[in-house]
Amino acid sequence: MYSDYASLRAWAESEIARTRPADRTRILVGLGTCGIAAGGLDVLAALREKLADMPVSAEIVPVGCIGMCFEEPLVDIVRPGEPRICYAKVTPKSIPTILEEHLLHNNVRKDLAFAVIGDEPYDGVPAWKQLPFFATQRRTVLRNCGFIDPESVAEYIVHDGYAALAKALFEMTPESVIEEVKRSGLRGRGGAGFPTGMKWAFCRQSPGEHKYVICNADEGDPGAFMNRSVLEGDPHSVLEGLIIAAYAIGADHGYIYCRAEYPLAIVRLRKALEQARALGLLGERIFGTDFSFDVTIKEGAGAFVCGEETALMASIEGKRGMPRPRPPFPAQKGLWGQPTNINNVETLNNIPPIILNGADWFAAVGTEKSKGTKTFALTGKVVNSSLIEVPFGMTLREVIFGVGGGIANGRQFKAAQTGGPSGGCLSSEHLDWPIDYETLTKAGSIMGSGGLVVMDDSTCMVDVARFFLNFTQSESCGKCIPCRLGTKRMLEILERIVAGQGKMEDIDLLLELGETVKLGSLCGLGQTAPNPVLSTIRYFRDEYEAHIKEHRCPAKVCKALITYRISEEKCTGCTLCARNCPVNAISGERKKVHVIDPAVCTRCDTCRQVCNFDAVLVD
Amino acid sequence: MNDKLREILQAPVTGKGDLIPLLQKAQEAEGYVSEEAIYAIAEKLRIPASEVFGVLSFYAQFRLRPMGKHNVKICRGTACHVRGSPLIVTAVESELQLGNGEDTTPDGLFTVEKIACFGACSLAPVMVVGGRTYGNLSPDKARRLIRKTAEEDHV
């Protein structure tokens, strides 16, 4: 238990000095969900095995995601007095070479090293900020991800952790904390972009016996993993933000509502809560002051709509997660009928640096109305599939072609989808628009929580619209009829179009239904569900018309509208396709041209993928 | 009633807010939420069984039928979709001869689930078999993975 920050910091520093002597080599292994999926655990095992055989003493530190998903698994080596060298795409096989060369022969393998995570290049390896991927990024939310051991509270503290909480408790009143957040211009990172300080003020002013704060960690957008990476890589920072929010609002209890699909995030959050309680940073009389506050973790049960505030609260209360009309707003009558404040993970993560460095520091970055930085899960047909953080105001082109490294496989950019199922598709005409809340809305999409999926000329926009609608239709809670039935009818129309049975009137019907669903739904899910359809009609109407009028899928995706055939010029008769066809639709003798029977073919694409001669053509 | 479930039901509860956590624990113990568990939880929380059923049927996480021995999860996130996951779904379902919305093979060996997103988007399309993630799949690789899992089971 500590009653001032200096003694807490002193404890953390002695803890680090005791467990991590400065004269010892450290080896950092990226073990977020992405790192593990890419084989990080096998690399870890190989690392342990090899290290046991070597005459060096080194410590292995598991760290969170640094954002370079495309280079996973990552292993970083930091020798005393030397910079941190990051090795990318490490395999159990390359571990012995890397360790022997680097640790025994002082030889940094330039061919295997990716970058120096530091200011200066070293031994021919570039500094990370010299790489286009990192050059324009600015890490506020991700400041600790990939740098600290997420399970070590001492390491968080020596990186200025809980200093903001101490500053708020000892030097600021709740009102001045709210004022600072208001002045910073921070807006909700869950998607809607409501000013956070104002939200806190409403809740503070509402009368109530108890008040609650909730961290919304129910990141449900398919293709988005920003919050997960933060929870896995820097859980204490989210917790510190939540405690400061509770102090500002006057809440005595908090909840973190996390997706059950994020088991690692939940494990690390639980650990963070225990550690914070043990140090007196959570629970009764925090830092020895009169302020008491504790947190419960609630695991979501797999319902996208629970990302909506009122549905999320219903779920915590043990009910079906259905939204209710507002007002009363959660700030007036929320969880268990008491004033409640809900913030997204990323919003809360921004709070400690704002309190510590001041509102002006935060507001210096970004655009007039969108301050600070935003994390994005940059995925799809982009070279660098990654987790990035960039200042608001950067253009889509700078993000996709600069940070993202352009379109994969040398193909053409077609669209970028932001905001997940609630967002829309932007076309090449938007590439030079700055990314901020207002601009994206003007373009018919939304900022959303940060999914940014890049699509190329082999992506069918009608199919993408159907994909999102299929998702929202099955996730609609069913309370509002326009959403429940409207999304179903819209999906049926889209299915008709991709099957080649669409009519030209269908486009107008989709537009009409889309507007009705938007206007007639209570919550964000219904109000935004038509966006993917409306925006693809707006920017890619020609693709809809090709499906309807010409029964043609320009991207060659929609199964009912394509046929597979084998090129007579290119086929060598190697029989590989025939042997791999799961339905025996391919016939032909060895060394002779093969033929696909279109009546049997299921268009599973296996033959095209296995062919070594690009002889399988899609028409 | 299995011992684990009995143990779960003996722990103290505070109110209706415990319903979803109880259902989650029951499913963890039995692999699904059994009829027996529904009635027992209803009694424990002093609410109608219909209300328990109403809540559990709302959330995608809860299953009313036992899970197969091998759990195959196919990612249906956006990044996986644009990189070919519909073809993976078709390949796995045809390999296991699953149709008509069935998710478990008649022999109880495989259950196939479609997951909204794993967040391993750089490896898209992705599938998780027995807790292990396989990325950059093709329909062919997915089929072979299923066959290999089935063969290893018979050894």
Side-chain angles (χ1 to χ4, degrees):
Chain A
M1 301 291 168
Y2 296 92
S3 51
D4 67 290
Y5 186 68
S7 50
L8 177 74
R9 178 88 177 215
W11 166 81
E13 273 165 11
S14 69
E15 212 27 47
I16 294 293
R18 187 175 64 79
T19 52
R20 309 235 164 99
D23 58 352
R24 229 170 140 200
T25 297
R26 299 178 70 199
I27 302 178
L28 287 67
V29 189
L31 288 180
T33 296
C34 45
I36 292 172
L41 291 177
D42 295 338
V43 168
L44 180 68
L47 198 58
R48 288 216 170 103
E49 193 183 337
K50 180 68 198 167
L51 216 49
D53 277 354
M54 288 171 65
V56 283
S57 132
E59 185 197 8
I60 299 173
V61 187
V63 292
C65 171
I66 197 168
M68 293 186 288
C69 312
F70 57 103
E71 294 287 350
E72 297 270 13
L74 300 171
V75 171
D76 295 20
I77 300 181
V78 199
R79 297 215 300 174
E82 285 178 19
R84 170 175 167 187
I85 310 287
C86 170
Y87 290 94
K89 289 196 169 143
V90 177
T91 61
K93 272 188 193 154
S94 64
I95 281 287
T97 320
I98 293 174
L99 291 186
E100 279 170 21
E101 294 274 340
H102 195 134
L103 298 182
L104 296 182
H105 309 304
N106 297 328
N107 180 16
V108 176
R109 283 291 295 262
K110 285 182 265 302
D111 52 330
L112 301 174
F114 181 76
V116 176
I117 310 294
D119 296 335
E120 302 293 329
Y122 182 81
D123 204 1
V125 181
W128 66 324
K129 284 286 179 187
Q130 293 178 310
L131 302 173
F133 177 70
F134 285 113
T136 52
Q137 289 201 55
R138 190 186 159 98
R139 297 166 74 97
T140 300
V141 173
L142 302 176
R143 61 194 180 277
N144 289 330
C145 284
F147 289 86
I148 65 169
D149 176 354
E151 299 196 1
S152 160
V153 64
E155 200 163 358
Y156 178 67
I157 294 168
V158 300
H159 283 81
D160 293 336
Y162 292 107
L165 175 63
K167 183 175 174 188
L169 289 180
F170 295 119
E171 297 170 29
M172 298 168 87
T173 62
E175 287 78 10
S176 63
V177 171
I178 293 177
E179 197 46 43
E180 197 71 20
V181 175
K182 267 190 191 169
R183 274 204 319 118
S184 75
L186 175 67
R187 296 170 65 173
R189 297 292 194 248
F194 192 80
T196 305
M198 223 192 281
K199 199 171 179 178
W200 287 12
F202 287 145
C203 195
R204 169 138 199 102
Q205 287 150 13
S206 290
E209 199 186 332
H210 291 284
K211 287 181 189 177
Y212 297 104
V213 287
I214 299 175
C215 167
N216 184 350
D218 193 41
E219 182 174 55
D221 283 9
F225 52 89
M226 304 75 53
N227 292 174
R228 191 208 67 209
S229 297
V230 169
L231 292 168
E232 286 178 359
D234 195 12
H236 278 287
S237 160
V238 181
L239 182 59
E240 187 180 358
L242 189 66
I243 304 171
I244 295 171
Y247 171 71
I249 287 156
D252 50 20
H253 201 87
Y255 291 89
I256 300 177
Y257 187 91
C258 186
R259 280 184 92 188
E261 289 90 337
Y262 288 173
L264 187 60
I266 291 172
V267 167
R268 293 201 172 146
L269 277 172
R270 284 196 202 290
K271 203 159 201 167
L273 292 185
E274 274 170 38
Q275 292 167 335
R277 279 193 201 108
L279 294 170
L281 303 170
L282 193 64
E284 294 294 319
R285 303 179 58 88
I286 293 174
F287 263 127
T289 63
D290 290 337
F291 172 58
S292 299
F293 171 73
D294 211 334
V295 174
T296 307
I297 295 173
K298 283 274 177 183
E299 286 181 40
F304 177 66
V305 71
C306 287
E308 199 278 342
E309 297 188 337
T310 59
L312 188 153
M313 294 187 303
S315 178
I316 292 181
E317 290 173 0
K319 300 178 193 151
R320 290 165 72 92
M322 289 161 103
R324 60 157 178 78
R326 292 173 295 185
F329 289 95
Q332 302 160 304
K333 267 183 189 301
L335 190 65
W336 317 111
Q338 302 294 328
T340 304
N341 175 73
I342 305 186
N343 289 127
N344 164 271
V345 168
E346 189 175 334
T347 312
L348 292 172
N349 215 58
N350 271 304
I351 298 296
I354 290 175
I355 297 300
L356 211 53
N357 306 320
D360 296 328
W361 166 84
F362 185 81
V365 176
T367 64
E368 195 199 334
K369 288 183 176 167
S370 305
K371 300 295 186 194
T373 57
K374 179 79 196 80
T375 60
F376 288 100
L378 182 59
T379 63
K381 307 285 184 74
V382 65
V383 175
N384 301 341
S385 271
S386 51
L387 172 71
I388 63 168
E389 182 173 356
V390 294
F392 279 113
M394 245 173 110
T395 65
L396 210 48
R397 187 186 302 279
E398 288 168 320
V399 171
I400 296 172
F401 291 88
V403 180
I407 309 300
N409 305 319
R411 300 195 76 108
Q412 283 293 314
F413 170 84
K414 184 193 270 183
Q417 210 279 348
T418 67
S422 310
C425 292
L426 309 172
S427 71
S428 52
E429 69 181 89
H430 303 113
L431 275 175
D432 294 309
W433 290 28
I435 299 176
D436 63 35
Y437 288 95
E438 278 71 27
T439 309
L440 288 181
T441 309
K442 204 169 100 192
S445 184
I446 61 162
M447 175 64 68
S449 61
L452 181 53
V453 186
V454 179
M455 298 165 186
D456 66 12
D457 53 349
S458 69
T459 313
C460 171
M461 301 315 288
V462 186
D463 174 67
V464 166
R466 182 185 61 147
F467 165 79
F468 281 117
L469 213 64
N470 187 34
F471 180 82
T472 35
Q473 187 267 324
S474 63
E475 292 294 338
S476 170
C477 79
K479 184 167 181 162
C480 308
I481 296 164
C483 175
R484 181 177 74 219
L485 298 182
T487 55
K488 178 83 179 158
R489 291 292 95 84
M490 288 175 78
L491 179 62
E492 285 167 359
I493 295 169
L494 287 168
E495 275 170 352
R496 210 152 69 209
I497 296 175
V498 298
Q501 292 156 357
K503 294 170 285 197
M504 279 306 284
E505 308 89 272
D506 283 345
I507 299 182
D508 292 328
L509 194 53
L510 280 173
L511 293 172
E512 194 188 326
L513 268 171
E515 290 305 327
T516 311
V517 172
K518 282 179 93 151
L519 287 171
S521 303
L522 261 183
C523 83
L525 191 151
Q527 286 162 8
T528 60
N531 281 352
V533 182
L534 299 178
S535 67
T536 47
I537 295 180
R538 186 163 153 195
Y539 300 119
F540 303 95
R541 199 183 179 105
D542 54 325
E543 289 197 32
Y544 281 83
E545 291 182 358
H547 282 74
I548 296 170
K549 285 189 195 159
E550 304 162 36
H551 303 288
R552 185 173 65 83
C553 175
K556 298 175 181 174
V557 169
C558 297
K559 279 188 180 181
L561 305 178
I562 53 172
T563 48
Y564 280 76
R565 69 184 170 90
I566 293 172
S567 157
E568 290 178 21
E569 292 84 54
K570 288 184 174 170
C571 179
T572 61
C574 74
T575 75
L576 192 62
C577 58
R579 277 184 282 132
N580 279 289
C581 178
V583 290
N584 296 320
I586 306 177
S587 55
E589 285 173 42
R590 205 174 170 77
K591 299 202 173 167
K592 284 189 181 157
V593 174
H594 281 48
V595 184
I596 300 175
D597 180 351
V600 183
C601 173
T602 59
R603 297 158 187 88
C604 74
D605 206 45
T606 300
C607 53
R608 195 184 62 81
Q609 296 194 15
V610 297
C611 182
N612 294 321
F613 308 98
D614 293 329
V616 179
L617 307 174
V618 187
D619 297 315
Chain B
M1 189 180 292
N2 84 24
D3 291 345
K4 268 195 204 154
L5 187 60
R6 194 169 292 124
E7 203 183 304
I8 289 157
L9 290 164
Q10 270 160 5
V13 287
T14 52
K16 240 192 83 177
D18 290 323
L19 174 55
I20 293 171
L22 270 177
L23 285 167
Q24 285 169 330
K25 284 179 194 155
Q27 173 150 307
E28 212 181 294
E30 298 192 292
Y32 73 114
V33 184
S34 62
E35 198 176 326
E36 197 184 12
I38 294 174
Y39 282 106
I41 290 171
E43 206 179 302
K44 175 96 183 160
L45 294 175
R46 298 176 180 279
I47 54 174
S50 59
E51 201 177 325
V52 176
F53 190 80
V55 169
L56 85 89
S57 60
F58 183 86
Y59 295 97
Q61 188 189 18
F62 299 117
R63 299 178 54 83
L64 289 162
R65 275 180 297 166
M67 177 78 84
K69 186 172 167 194
H70 298 285
N71 187 207
V72 178
K73 294 178 179 171
I74 306 174
C75 184
R76 291 292 287 119
T78 319
C80 285
H81 181 83
V82 301
R83 280 161 64 160
S85 70
L87 299 169
I88 308 295
V89 173
T90 317
V92 170
E93 288 185 340
S94 83
E95 185 65 37
L96 294 172
Q97 297 179 343
L98 290 170
N100 300 323
E102 284 293 320
D103 67 354
T104 304
T105 51
D107 59 5
L109 208 54
F110 286 95
T111 291
V112 178
E113 290 180 293
K114 292 158 210 163
I115 301 295
C117 185
F118 286 118
C121 306
S122 62
L123 302 170
V126 171
M127 175 162 112
V128 174
V129 183
R132 209 189 151 98
T133 310
Y134 299 87
N136 297 316
L137 288 173
S138 65
D140 189 45
K141 276 192 211 163
R143 280 175 190 277
R144 271 190 264 169
L145 193 57
I146 296 291
R147 265 177 240 157
K148 196 176 137 233
T149 311
E151 276 163 23
E152 282 169 2
D153 194 84
H154 290 302
V155 178

